Amino acid sequence: GVVPATEAVAILAQGSGLTIVCTHRFDRQCSLHPLVMGSVKTLTVKMHLAKKLKQNRPLPQWYRMKTGTKIRYNKFRRHWRRGKIGL
């Protein structure tokens, strides 16, 4: 992809046809680019993670404004670092 001019690009490692690029904005701690990282997941694990991604969203605004509902927020929201899925 195209990197905006406002971000600093640093090549972290090169070798064996693999280039690891960091596109964080002036960060010292750079992680591996998600398009370069390899990932070995079974279909079951991938489907489980996809479902958890879809569940982790706020309540729609139209539902909050409905007459007669007492639900104001999604109490099952999960932070990626604090609440673990348990795979």
Side-chain angles (χ1 to χ4, degrees):
V2 179
V3 178
T6 58
E7 294 181 352
V9 177
I11 297 177
L12 297 178
Q14 277 186 332
S16 68
L18 180 69
T19 305
I20 300 168
V21 178
C22 175
T23 57
H24 295 286
R25 182 179 270 172
F26 308 112
D27 239 353
R28 288 187 181 197
Q29 295 176 345
C30 293
S31 61
L32 298 177
H33 196 272
L35 296 176
V36 179
M37 280 195 304
S39 176
V40 180
K41 294 180 185 68
T42 61
L43 181 64
T44 309
V45 170
K46 194 178 286 190
M47 297 295 282
H48 190 76
L49 290 173
K51 180 173 182 174
K52 292 297 178 183
L53 269 177
K54 288 186 274 188
Q55 286 178 341
N56 194 29
R57 60 183 299 269
L59 200 67
Q61 291 292 326
W62 65 266
Y63 192 83
R64 189 176 296 165
M65 299 301 168
K66 258 174 65 170
T67 308
T69 184
K70 294 185 178 181
I71 302 172
R72 296 187 181 175
Y73 64 97
N74 182 5
K75 66 177 182 178
F76 299 108
R77 286 297 296 270
R78 176 185 48 84
H79 188 262
W80 67 272
R81 203 168 196 170
R82 288 191 302 265
K84 292 303 173 183
I85 297 172
L87 281 176

